[in-house]
Amino acid sequence: MTITSVRTDVAALARDVVKIYGRGETAVRALDGATLSIPAGRFTAVMGPSGSGKSTLMHAMAGLDTVDEGQVLIGDTDLGRLSERQRTLLRRDHVGFVFQSFNLVPTLTAAENIALPLTLAGRRADQAWIDEIVAMLGLGDRLRHRPAEMSGGQRQRVAVARALAARPRIVFADEPTGNLDSRAGEALLGFLRHAAHELGQTIVMVTHDANAAAYADQVAHFADGRVAGVTRNEEK
C-alpha cells in the first residue's frame, strides 16, 4: 500500500460515520452520522463534553478503530477498504500520535524516543528536520535525558517531537495538555499551532477545554455523536 506524499486541501475526512458499541438494549451509538473535514496544514480542535463521541471519532479517523457505517479517508485512502495490516502500516508511516499520558519508553533517552517511529519502520531520519523540531520545542539540552529526568512539560514536548519526526500526513493529539500545568500547557499549544502554521503540519486535537481549543484554526463542536457545528478562530 502506498499513499501519495502530496498534500491535498483536505488531509482527512469523516463522512456520515456511525459507530455502535454493544447490541440490543445495551447498545451505545457513540457516533451517529458524524461528518468532519480536516484541512491540510492547519490546526483543528474537536471539542465536546465527556461521552459526546469526540475521542471515538479521533480513533476512527486515525485508523485505530473501524466504523459501522459511513466513510473515513486519510488523503485519498479509504480506511474502510484496508486490511488490518494495511491500517497498521498507514498509522506507522502517515499518522502521528500525542497522548495525555506521553507514552514514552522509560529506558530510552529523549533523542531515542523521538527517533523511535523511524527506527521501528527501518527508515532513515531526516536529521535537519528533526533538528528543526528539537529547536522549535526547546529540547536541545534534554536529548540525553530519560523521561524520569524530565518534567511533565518536557516529556510532552518529546512526545510531540516523536509525532512530528517522520513528517506524517496528520497528527492526532488526545487531550495533550491534560497532565500539564497551565504554563506548560500554553507552551505546548503554542508549539502545535506553530507546527501547523510554520511547518505545514496537519494537527487534530481532541479536548474538552475551551481555552485549549482557542489555539486552533478551527473548532469542531461535538454533541451526541455528531458535529454540531464548526467555528473558525481569529489569528492569535
Side-chain angles (χ1 to χ4, degrees):
M1 179 194 66
T2 59
I3 297 179
T4 177
S5 61
V6 176
R7 296 181 186 273
T8 60
D9 289 340
V10 177
L13 174 67
R15 182 185 290 125
D16 300 324
V17 173
V18 173
K19 180 66 179 181
I20 301 171
Y21 294 105
R23 295 182 179 180
E25 295 181 357
T26 62
V28 175
R29 202 173 182 89
L31 296 176
D32 190 17
T35 295
L36 180 62
S37 177
I38 304 297
R42 307 301 283 172
F43 183 7
T44 298
V46 181
M47 184 180 172
S50 297
S52 62
K54 62 185 186 299
S55 290
T56 303
L57 180 67
M58 188 198 79
H59 291 162
M61 296 189 78
L64 292 169
D65 201 357
T66 58
V67 301
D68 296 307
E69 298 178 25
Q71 188 179 36
V72 178
L73 297 97
I74 291 182
D76 296 327
T77 301
D78 186 340
L79 272 59
R81 297 179 179 273
L82 303 182
S83 67
E84 179 58 39
R85 172 170 170 73
Q86 288 173 323
R87 285 199 303 275
T88 298
L89 293 175
L90 180 143
R91 292 193 301 269
R92 186 192 72 182
D93 295 337
H94 300 283
V95 180
F97 297 98
V98 181
F99 297 106
Q100 180 176 338
S101 57
F102 315 139
N103 287 359
L104 301 179
V105 179
T107 57
L108 299 183
T109 65
E112 291 166 339
N113 268 288
I114 291 168
L116 185 60
L118 292 164
T119 301
L120 293 176
R123 293 169 56 188
R124 184 185 298 274
D126 181 341
Q127 196 57 50
W129 171 253
I130 291 178
D131 289 345
E132 182 176 1
I133 294 168
V134 167
M136 178 190 79
L137 292 167
L139 290 170
D141 61 346
R142 291 290 182 267
L143 293 179
R144 295 184 180 181
H145 290 68
R146 290 181 171 81
E149 301 169 315
M150 294 183 283
S151 68
Q154 290 166 347
R155 280 178 279 173
Q156 192 61 299
R157 280 185 275 153
V158 171
V160 171
R162 180 183 59 188
L164 296 174
R167 293 197 177 199
R169 177 178 290 271
I170 189 168
V171 170
F172 292 94
D174 192 1
E175 301 282 3
T177 61
N179 285 334
L180 304 181
D181 60 36
S182 59
R183 183 176 179 181
E186 289 173 3
L188 180 68
L189 293 165
F191 293 138
L192 293 177
R193 187 174 178 85
H194 180 84
H197 290 190
E198 303 302 325
L199 303 180
Q201 181 64 62
T202 303
I203 308 284
V204 181
M205 176 181 70
V206 170
T207 184
H208 67 278
D209 183 352
N211 292 327
Y215 281 80
D217 299 304
Q218 70 170 19
V219 184
H221 302 274
F222 228 76
D224 301 323
R226 296 183 179 184
V227 177
V230 177
T231 58
R232 286 169 177 78
N233 292 329
E234 296 181 0
E235 291 288 336
K236 292 184 72 71

